[in-house]
Amino acid sequence: MAFGLGLCISSRGLPGIAVESPITPVTDGMALSATWRIADGSQTTLANAEEASFKIVARVEPSDTGILFEQGGSGRGIIIYVFGAVLYAQFGDGSGTGTSSSRAFVQYTLTKRIELIEASCSITNNLCALYVDGDLVGTDTLETSTLAGSDIGGLGRVYSLAAANFGGWTTDGSGAFTGDINRAEIFLNQLTTDVAV
């Protein structure tokens, strides 16, 4: 599977022929604020953000487990992870799991491999949305001051601290993701049409 520009070898094309991904990201056309790769380690791009969209390019199987993306902690945090063949996404209050008035919570049961995870959140509109392979899979509301606190985050594991999650991964280095993650792209102050109401 090829993402972005470049050449690839695929069962559907010849060597040296660019093959387009069949997945159309909902974040297409947004202005990139940051690119975050596993090799780059931690980041604080979403610290105290009120509106943002982002996408994670990864290969996630139902048998995988661990954290894909996180920033913040038990005060306010964003965490996207896989546990028990379910993809979970939380935004806002990081002190617990599940829906609450100060936390958006969306889950999606994995029945096959997925390759693109996107989210869009707005404190102004009190709404967050989660997308899998270009399709909207859920929305939830929240009332909070920011999406994530200033505690550092990262791809593929907990960096420093993380919001509460069903895997119990909250300490530095825990929750190592068992699949493959390529990169995350962050779009500050930009929303998808499902969230920009």
Side-chain angles (χ1 to χ4, degrees):
M1 182 65 56
F3 290 91
L5 300 175
L7 302 177
C8 72
I9 298 174
S10 131
S11 61
R12 295 176 310 201
L14 299 172
I17 303 296
V19 177
E20 281 187 42
S21 168
I23 301 167
T24 302
V26 294
T27 52
D28 264 4
M30 292 188 180
L32 190 64
S33 300
T35 298
W36 170 25
R37 296 181 183 274
I38 275 194
D40 296 337
S42 62
Q43 58 79 47
T44 57
T45 306
L46 292 166
N48 303 313
E50 295 182 5
E51 292 188 330
S53 295
F54 53 92
K55 72 177 179 182
I56 305 165
V57 178
R59 187 172 62 228
V60 185
E61 302 282 355
S63 59
D64 285 324
T65 190
I67 294 173
L68 290 151
F69 180 102
E70 67 86 15
Q71 184 181 328
S74 61
R76 289 177 318 281
I78 295 173
I79 185 167
I80 297 178
Y81 63 100
V82 178
F83 184 73
V86 178
L87 174 69
Y88 295 98
Q90 286 184 189
F91 314 90
D93 176 20
S95 66
T97 57
T99 301
S100 80
S101 61
S102 58
R103 175 177 49 251
F105 177 83
V106 182
Q107 63 185 43
Y108 174 76
T109 300
L110 296 172
T111 58
K112 62 180 182 175
R113 178 171 63 193
I114 62 173
E115 299 183 356
L116 182 65
I117 300 163
E118 297 169 282
S120 188
C121 301
S122 171
I123 298 304
T124 305
N125 299 333
N126 304 111
L127 185 62
C128 293
L130 178 68
Y131 306 84
V132 170
D133 289 341
D135 295 323
L136 177 68
V137 297
T139 62
D140 198 11
T141 59
L142 78 167
E143 292 183 18
T144 188
S145 58
T146 59
L147 296 175
S150 58
D151 194 69
I152 62 172
L155 292 179
R157 67 172 179 86
V158 174
Y159 283 78
S160 186
L161 301 170
N165 56 81
F166 291 121
W169 310 301
T170 56
T171 57
D172 191 41
S174 65
F177 181 59
T178 60
D180 296 316
I181 306 172
N182 185 349
R183 68 183 182 275
E185 295 177 351
I186 299 170
F187 312 93
L188 292 175
N189 303 314
Q190 298 168 79
L191 301 172
T192 63
T193 55
D194 299 292
V195 177
V197 276

